[in-house]
């Protein structure tokens, strides 16, 4: 009998089962899976170890007969235990089948597929009997006439049903090809994640750009945000390990906001189809489905649909999130890609501060009228070259509002001479005229945008001959909805905001302007992104300066960028004859870049100075300019609370070979960019007083 001949396991194999009669049997440990369907192909995905344990606990408690709902995947999906269904919570998605899996077979693509729960129980019972009695070569037949043979604990195979004689298409070799059968998830090649931290520190809503696809693989916003979230979990483990160990940090939740489907469900696609030419059908369909979204946003009818959808969806998601996470005390931020960032910028521009805050600000300005208000008046007098009268105005407790109410008689009673009186009255008159013209201009009254402070005479920058123009100038007339919360930070990825403002006629953004309800703003872009534009030159047009180079997540610049900068420095030094020898030129090639010198790296300075001392033809009092020059901090206004706004990613070595070839990829790279994710996390946790384990060089 075959059962009396125990199988010989391969060398090094370990099996906790005794194949002799009366052997020890250990029950299989189940793991829960869900079925994901992509392009009509099924793929079984394991739940995280944490979620599987929770599902098994609910199942073991005998709750499978009731309609028990178990939150999984960080609370973004609910599993209805009795129905074995996995349902998305925050967005529309096909319902997935769920299984409690113990037995698997390998399909033709070498992927393991779980058997049904009922047939797995039959296999487990047959396995238990075989182990206990030591009787192998058990043969079972599945409901689909498929045959499974348990030869021994190490060899279990699955045969497809043998074709009948009428099925002449089949060949003998195809009929008898066996497939491997495995018991327990630990015996199959599958990666099971540990799970996400339960603590949520911050919530971020992500708004997509044009079209239904968001990356070069034509994936949806849900899939791309999933990638972004996964990268963030990895970055938290690698860069916030100390804070995690001290339980200061949990995770950041990212939720997608979809407006494209709502726009294209208005019937506009049917209208476009009637007028679309039949030639080059695929290209025209692509244009109708993607590029035309930009024109829709510039249409008053569809712009209203888009902003209503984005605002209502973010408010709905926020309310639903709070219902499901009643203990959440963190803040909320928003992020937009491409056109999505412009939609958010326009939406934030038209937000109104809370009445309580307005009243608080008004009280603050009244109580500070003897300090802050007087300082503002002193600044005006200084600009009018009348600083010698500051003491007179301070004695009379004159703030800006009081100054604009002054008449010539008031100034005369204060003892101000005729000449200075005329200058002050002319200033008051010119500011008042500018305010009246601004408030009476029809192009502003038709817009839904909030005028900048400078138009109403509230900015000290108004002394310029050319007042700043409203950042919302040229917006389509729309009724902009209000958000139910105040975002902490606004992140723009690959954003055309600067271009749209320029096309709308905005020459410059007032340095004193800030978004009414959002104090943080970061404009992040890839250097080859053809859709991205800068913001800072619109605030400080008189200066030419580079955007902030986004630090590499591993803490240094990419090697090819360092090489390029090293060659550039060496070339400049040789041309200027500052070093005088090839040996010291090589030192300049290997020395640290300028930002490191500014940060206090004295070693490179000492090396350069030592090289200068060894050259008799060089003057000691004339060291290299790159060493001695210190770049003053750049003030880019209040749009990001006084901090820098533009951040550029470092291109990869392969991308630097051909900028045009990687232009499209540059616009769609942000979802899997560790550097982008790390900046987002750094800025979010900085609002909570939590910093990286090791501050990245070049970061603020």
């Amino acid at each position: 009998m075959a059962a009396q001949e125990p199988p010989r396991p391969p060398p090094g194999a370990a099996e906790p089962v005794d194949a002799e009669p009366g052997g020890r049997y250990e029950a299989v440990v189940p793991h829960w899976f869900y079925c994901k369907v992509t392009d009509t192909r099924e793929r079984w995905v394991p739940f995280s170890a944490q979620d599987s344990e929770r599902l098994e606990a609910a199942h073991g408690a005998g709750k499978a007969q009731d309609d028990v709902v178990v939150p999984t995947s960080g609370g973004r999906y609910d599993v209805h235990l009795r129905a074995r269904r996995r349902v998305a919570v925050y967005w529309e998605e096909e319902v997935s089948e769920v299984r409690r899996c113990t037995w698997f077979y390998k399909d033709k693509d070498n992927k393991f597929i779980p058997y049904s729960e009922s047939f797995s129980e039959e296999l487990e019972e047959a396995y238990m009997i075989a182990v206990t009695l030591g009787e192998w070569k058990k043969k079972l037949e599945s409901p689909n006439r498929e045959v499974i043979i348990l030869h021994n604990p190490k060899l279990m195979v699955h045969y497809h049903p043998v074709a009948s004689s009428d099925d002449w298409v089949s060949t003998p070799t195809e009929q008898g090809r066996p497939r491997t059968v495995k018991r327990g998830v630990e015996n199959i090649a599958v990666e099971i994640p540990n799970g996400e931290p339960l603590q949520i520190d911050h919530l971020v809503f992500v708004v997509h750009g044009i079209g239904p696809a968001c990356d070069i693989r034509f994936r949806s916003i849900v899939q791309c945000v999933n990638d972004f979230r996964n990268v963030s979990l990895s970055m938290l483990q690698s860069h916030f390990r100390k804070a995690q160990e001290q339980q200061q940090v949990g995770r950041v939740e990212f939720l997608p906001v979809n407006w494209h489907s709502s726009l294209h469900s208005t019937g506009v696609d049917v209208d476009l189809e009637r007028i679309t030419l039949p030639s080059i059908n695929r290209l025209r369909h692509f244009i109708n489905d993607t590029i035309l979204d930009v024109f829709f946003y510039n249409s008053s009818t569809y712009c209203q649909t888009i902003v209503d959808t984005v605002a209502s969806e973010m408010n709905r998601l926020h309310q639903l999130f709070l219902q499901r996470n009643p203990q959440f005390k963190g803040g909320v931020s928003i992020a937009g890609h491409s056109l999505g960032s412009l939609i958010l910028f326009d939406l934030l521009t038209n937000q109104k501060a809370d009445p309580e805050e307005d009243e608080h600000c008004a009280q603050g300005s009244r109580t500070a009228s003897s300090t802050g208000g007087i300082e503002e008046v002193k600044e005006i007098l200084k600009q009018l070259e009348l600083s010698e009268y500051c003491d007179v105005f301070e004695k009379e407790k004159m703030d800006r509002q009081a100054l604009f109410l002054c008449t010539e008689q008031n100034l005369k009673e204060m003892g101000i001479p005729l000449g200075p009186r005329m200058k002050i009255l002319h200033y008051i008159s010119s500011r008042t005229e500018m305010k009246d013209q601004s408030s009476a201009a029809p192009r502003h009254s038709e817009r839904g945008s909030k005028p900048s402070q400078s138009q109403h005479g509230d900015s000290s920058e108004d002394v310029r001959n050319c007042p700043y123009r409203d950042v919302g100038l040229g917006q389509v007339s729309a009724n902009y909805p209000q958000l139910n919360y105040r975002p902490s930070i606004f992140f723009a990825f690959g954003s055309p905001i600067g271009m749209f403002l320029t096309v709308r006629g905005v020459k410059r953004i007032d340095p004193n302007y800030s978004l009414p309800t959002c104090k943080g703003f970061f404009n992040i872009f890839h250097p080859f992104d053809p859709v991205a534009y800068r913001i800072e030159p619109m605030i400080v047009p008189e200066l030419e300066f580079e955007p902030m180079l986004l630090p590499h997540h591993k803490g240094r610049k990419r090697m090819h960028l360092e090489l390029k900068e090293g060659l550039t420095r060496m070339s400049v030094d040789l041309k200027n004859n500052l070093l005088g020898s090839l040996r010291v030129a090589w030192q300049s090639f290997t020395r640290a870049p300028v930002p490191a010198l500014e940060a206090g790296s004295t070693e490179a300075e000492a090396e350069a100075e030592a090289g200068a001392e060894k050259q008799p033809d060089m003057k000691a009092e004339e060291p290299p300019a790159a060493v001695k020059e210190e770049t003053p901090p750049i003030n880019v206004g209040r749009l990001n609370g006084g901090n820098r706004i533009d951040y550029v990613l470092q291109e990869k070595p392969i991308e630097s070979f051909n900028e045009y070839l990687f232009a499209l990829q540059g616009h769609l790279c942000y979802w899997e960019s560790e550097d982008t994710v790390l900046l987002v996390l750094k800025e979010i946790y900085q609002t909570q007083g939590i910093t990286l384990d090791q501050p990245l060089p070049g970061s603020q």
Side-chain angles (χ1 to χ4, degrees):
M1 294 290 294
Q4 296 176 352
E5 298 177 2
R8 288 178 294 178
E15 173 66 37
V17 175
D18 189 353
E20 294 292 340
R24 181 167 54 91
Y25 165 77
E26 292 184 2
V28 65
V29 178
H31 195 92
W32 292 74
F33 282 67
Y34 64 91
C35 184
K36 192 171 184 179
V37 181
T38 3
D39 298 331
T40 69
R41 299 186 65 179
E42 293 185 353
R43 182 167 63 94
W44 286 90
V45 182
F47 283 95
S48 69
Q50 183 184 70
D51 288 341
S52 185
E53 288 176 5
R54 295 180 63 190
L55 290 167
E56 185 63 21
H59 174 80
K63 298 179 180 179
Q65 301 302 321
D66 304 326
D67 189 17
V68 176
V69 179
V70 181
T72 60
S73 301
R76 295 181 297 277
Y77 290 88
D78 282 341
V79 170
H80 296 259
L81 202 60
R82 181 180 180 184
R84 295 292 198 264
R85 297 189 313 145
R86 177 178 180 262
V87 182
V89 173
Y90 296 105
W91 54 80
E92 295 293 330
E93 188 176 307
E94 290 290 334
V95 175
S96 302
E97 180 188 353
V98 174
R99 280 186 192 175
R100 179 177 181 263
C101 305
T102 52
W103 285 77
F104 306 83
Y105 70 92
K106 186 180 289 188
D107 66 0
K108 59 183 179 180
D109 296 326
N110 287 328
K111 294 180 181 178
F112 282 98
I113 308 297
Y115 287 104
S116 66
E117 293 186 34
S118 57
F119 189 64
S120 292
E121 290 177 0
E122 293 182 30
L123 287 170
E124 184 66 17
E125 184 178 358
Y127 181 86
M128 178 186 65
I129 294 173
V131 169
T132 306
L133 302 179
E135 297 177 356
W136 290 94
K137 291 195 175 178
K138 292 283 185 180
K139 182 178 180 180
L140 293 88
E141 186 173 330
S142 73
N144 298 329
R145 294 178 55 222
E146 296 172 341
V147 177
I148 294 89
I149 300 179
L150 310 182
H151 289 286
N152 58 57
K154 293 298 182 181
L155 180 60
M156 297 174 284
V157 292
H158 174 126
Y159 293 93
H160 277 290
V162 178
S164 64
S165 57
D166 295 331
D167 296 333
W168 56 272
V169 177
S170 300
T171 63
T173 56
E174 292 174 338
Q175 292 176 4
R177 183 175 299 169
R179 294 180 182 173
T180 305
V181 175
K182 292 292 184 181
R183 174 181 179 266
V185 71
E186 67 275 4
N187 292 318
I188 66 174
V190 63
E191 184 178 352
I192 300 176
N194 292 325
E196 303 176 19
L198 298 178
Q199 175 187 334
I200 301 176
D201 306 316
H202 204 86
L203 175 63
V204 180
F205 296 119
V206 185
V207 180
H208 65 83
I210 63 173
C214 297
D215 72 347
I216 205 162
R217 287 175 281 175
F218 296 98
R219 296 185 304 165
S220 68
I221 180 64
V222 173
Q223 294 170 305
C224 291
V225 172
N226 285 345
D227 274 353
F228 202 87
R229 187 187 305 109
N230 291 335
V231 174
S232 76
L233 293 173
S234 173
M235 291 294 101
L236 284 171
Q237 292 177 359
S238 60
H239 289 77
F240 291 85
R241 185 180 300 275
K242 183 178 179 182
Q244 280 191 332
E245 291 174 352
Q246 298 175 353
Q247 297 184 342
Q248 294 178 309
V249 165
R251 66 182 176 92
V252 176
E253 180 61 281
F254 297 89
L255 295 181
V257 177
N258 186 349
W259 55 266
H260 182 269
S261 55
S262 297
L263 170 66
H264 288 263
S265 63
T266 59
V268 65
D269 288 354
V270 178
D271 298 335
L272 284 173
E273 189 65 28
R274 295 195 195 101
I275 60 175
T276 301
L277 299 179
S279 58
I280 52 174
N281 182 55
R282 290 186 180 180
L283 178 59
R284 295 187 193 278
H285 178 74
F286 174 78
I287 292 174
N288 288 351
D289 208 31
T290 56
I291 298 176
L292 287 190
D293 285 349
V294 178
F295 296 95
F296 285 138
Y297 187 64
N298 286 324
S299 158
S300 58
T301 301
Y302 296 108
C303 175
Q304 188 67 60
T305 301
I306 292 173
V307 296
D308 283 347
T309 301
V310 171
S312 62
E313 184 68 2
M314 289 201 295
N315 285 338
R316 180 189 72 84
L317 291 172
H318 182 249
Q319 183 178 5
L320 180 58
F321 178 83
L322 293 181
Q323 290 175 358
R324 294 178 61 88
N325 300 273
Q327 305 300 323
F328 177 73
K329 303 297 181 183
V332 181
S333 292
I334 57 178
H337 176 239
S338 189
L339 181 63
S341 65
L342 177 67
I343 298 170
L344 290 176
F345 184 82
D346 289 343
L347 201 60
L348 291 176
T349 302
N350 292 278
Q351 295 298 294
K352 298 175 182 177
D354 296 333
E356 296 81 3
E357 182 172 341
D358 289 342
E359 179 64 23
H360 176 74
C361 292
Q363 292 175 356
S365 63
R366 286 194 292 270
T367 56
S369 60
S370 60
T371 56
I374 291 175
E375 293 301 322
E376 194 172 3
V377 171
K378 287 181 179 180
E379 182 65 24
I380 294 173
L381 293 174
K382 182 179 179 181
Q383 292 164 351
L384 296 176
E385 298 180 351
L386 299 175
S387 298
E388 63 266 29
Y389 300 104
C390 288
D391 293 340
V392 178
F393 282 84
E394 185 173 4
K395 181 180 178 182
E396 297 293 339
K397 297 183 178 180
M398 295 284 289
D399 59 9
R400 184 187 178 90
Q401 184 179 5
L403 175 66
F404 274 76
L405 295 174
C406 277
T407 63
E408 183 179 4
Q409 183 63 29
N410 298 140
L411 295 174
K412 188 175 182 180
E413 291 173 357
M414 292 170 59
I416 306 299
L418 178 61
R421 284 205 308 268
M422 292 300 100
K423 288 185 178 181
I424 295 172
L425 291 173
H426 175 71
Y427 173 81
I428 295 173
S429 175
S430 63
R431 296 309 102 188
T432 305
E433 288 177 4
M434 287 168 54
K435 176 181 176 182
D436 293 340
Q437 291 174 2
S438 173
S439 60
R443 62 173 176 267
H444 292 299
S445 61
E446 291 174 359
R447 311 300 175 194
S449 58
K450 179 182 176 66
S452 61
Q453 294 178 341
S454 59
Q455 289 178 298
H456 297 277
D458 295 331
S459 171
S460 60
E461 297 288 344
D462 287 338
V463 296
R464 299 177 181 270
N465 294 329
C466 240
Y468 301 109
R469 306 182 72 179
D470 179 15
V471 295
L473 180 65
Q475 282 180 330
V476 174
S477 178
N479 180 21
Y480 287 89
Q482 300 297 302
L483 299 176
N484 295 337
Y485 49 87
R486 299 169 60 87
S488 302
I489 308 174
F490 167 37
F491 299 99
F493 307 142
S495 173
I497 292 174
M499 180 270 289
F500 270 86
L501 293 181
T502 302
V503 170
R504 290 171 178 176
V506 179
K507 298 292 184 183
R508 185 175 180 185
I509 299 176
D510 188 343
N512 287 321
Y513 178 77
S514 62
L515 299 171
T517 59
C518 182
K519 302 308 177 187
F521 177 32
F522 290 86
N523 183 38
I524 305 167
F525 51 89
H526 190 281
F528 303 155
D529 188 340
V531 180
Y533 291 81
R534 292 191 62 185
I535 298 292
E536 292 174 339
M538 298 188 70
I539 304 173
V540 195
E542 61 273 10
L543 292 179
E544 290 189 8
F545 55 97
E546 296 294 323
M548 291 290 291
L549 185 65
L550 209 59
H552 192 267
H553 65 280
K554 292 185 178 179
R556 59 174 293 167
K557 289 184 180 179
R558 295 185 184 273
M559 187 173 297
H560 72 286
L561 293 179
E562 291 184 339
L563 178 62
K564 185 189 297 183
E565 291 180 359
L567 290 172
T568 302
R569 287 194 303 270
M570 186 175 72
S571 174
V572 171
D573 289 341
L574 288 173
K575 286 181 180 179
N576 295 336
N577 197 24
L578 293 175
L579 302 181
S581 73
L582 187 60
R583 182 180 58 82
V584 188
W586 175 252
Q587 293 176 356
S588 85
F589 168 71
T590 57
R591 74 171 181 248
V594 174
L597 298 177
E598 294 171 0
S601 177
T602 58
E603 182 179 350
E605 290 182 4
E607 181 182 347
E609 290 175 359
E613 291 174 359
K614 294 179 181 179
Q615 304 302 318
D617 57 336
M618 291 183 60
K619 297 181 181 179
E621 63 273 11
E622 294 181 2
V627 176
K628 286 298 182 181
E629 286 183 2
E630 291 187 1
T631 307
I634 300 173
N635 182 5
V636 291
R638 295 175 52 199
L639 195 55
N640 190 25
N643 299 316
R644 294 293 301 272
I645 299 171
D646 292 338
Y647 283 78
V648 60
L649 291 166
Q650 301 179 38
E651 72 270 19
K652 297 177 181 178
I654 191 174
E655 294 173 343
S656 61
F657 285 112
N658 192 319
E659 299 177 359
Y660 294 94
L661 185 62
F662 292 94
L664 179 60
Q665 183 173 328
H667 183 59
L668 304 173
C669 71
Y670 306 99
W671 309 114
E672 299 178 5
S673 167
E674 294 94 341
D675 300 347
T676 301
V677 172
L678 192 56
L679 176 67
V680 170
L681 294 177
K682 181 179 83 73
E683 295 301 330
I684 285 176
Y685 280 108
Q686 197 164 300
T687 62
Q688 303 177 20
I690 299 174
T691 58
L692 297 167
D693 290 345
Q694 293 181 352
L696 296 178
S699 59
Q700 289 185 335

